[in-house]
Amino acid sequence: MISKLPRREFLKISALAASLPFAGGLHGAVPPAEKAGVESDGLTVYELGPQIWIRWNNRPLTCYRAHRSQKYPYMYPLAGPLTGLSLTDETALPYPHHRSLFFACDRVNGGNYWQEGYEKGQILSTGPKVSKPENNSVEITDTCEWRKPTGPIVMRDRRRILVSAPDKNLRFLDWEIEWEAVEDVEIPKTNHSLFAMRAAPDITPSAGGNLVNAQGLSGETQTAGQKSEWCGFYGKRSTVPGAPVEGIVIMNHPGNPLAPTEWFTRDYGFASPTPLWFRDTPLTIAAGKALKLNYRVVLFGGDPKQAGIQAIYTRWAAPA
C-alpha cells in the first residue's frame, strides 16, 4: 500500500522535522508518516516529499532520503529484523560525513562526491519513484545527477533498489546501478569510492561487536585490503532485553567491474567494496559509457552462519 500525505499535513510534518536534531538516531523511532493512522501487515510505503519510508508490520524498515539539500541520497534507518533498531548510523565520529548506506565517490574529474563542501560536488536526485508493494517486496527507482553547483552534469546514475522481506529473520536491499559518464571522466586511485555503509556502533569491534568477511577473517587488520565476496558486522543489541544478535553485510556481485574486490574496512564501523583502492592507474570512462554495478545488503537475525549468509550469496550470485 502507498499513501501520499495531503499538502497541509506534509507542511506540518516538515515544520516538525525541521525543529528536530539532524541526526537524532532513529533507532526504533517512529517517523512522522506513521501518524497517518493506516495499519497493515507486511510491507507498506509512505512518500513524504523526496523521502520514501518503507515499513514492515507497521514499524520502520528503512527510508530512502533524496532531498536535494543533501550531499547525496542515502538510506537510513536499516532496521534489524529482531529488534527494529537500526543496523547503521546516520552520522558518527570520527567521520560524520558517512551516511548509513550510500553510493558516492571522490576525485571524479576533480570534484568530490563523497565528503567536503557542496561546492566540490553533489549527487542530486531528480525525484525518486516507488512501486506498490507486492509479494513482500517494493521497488524504488531514481536517476541522480553528479554535478557542482555552477557546472555541467559530469556523471549520471540510474539506480533501482528492491527492498524485500523473505522471512521474519531476513531483509534484502538489492541495488542495481548504471553509472554513466556524461563527459569523459577520470578517477585517480582512491579508497573513497562507490557503495559503502556505516554500521551502528553497538555491532562494531570498537564496541564489542564483530567485523567479518566471506573468508572467515575478522577485524580491520585482517579484512582491510582483502578480496572477498561479502563483508559486514554483527553483534548483540545490548539495549534490548535478552540482547539478541543481529547483523548487516554487503555482498559484491561477481559481475561487477574488477570483482572480487578489495574491501576498505574499519573497526569503528565502515565497510566498502572499493575497486579503486588498489588500482595504480586512473579509471577512465568515456562520455556515454557506463559501469553496471550490483550489490545486495542483507539485514539478519543471529550471526552470519546462523543466518546462512554464504548460501544467500551463492544463490544471489549464480548466473540467471
Side-chain angles (χ1 to χ4, degrees), residues 5 30 62 109 142 156:
L5 297 178
V30 179
T62 190
N109 278 11
D142 198 5
R156 180 181 289 112

Side-chain angles (χ1 to χ4, degrees), residues 197-221:
M197 72 171 165
R198 181 67 184 267
D202 62 332
I203 62 171
T204 69
S206 295
N210 304 275
L211 163 61
V212 295
N213 69 10
Q215 283 62 46
L217 302 176
S218 61
E220 177 184 326
T221 57

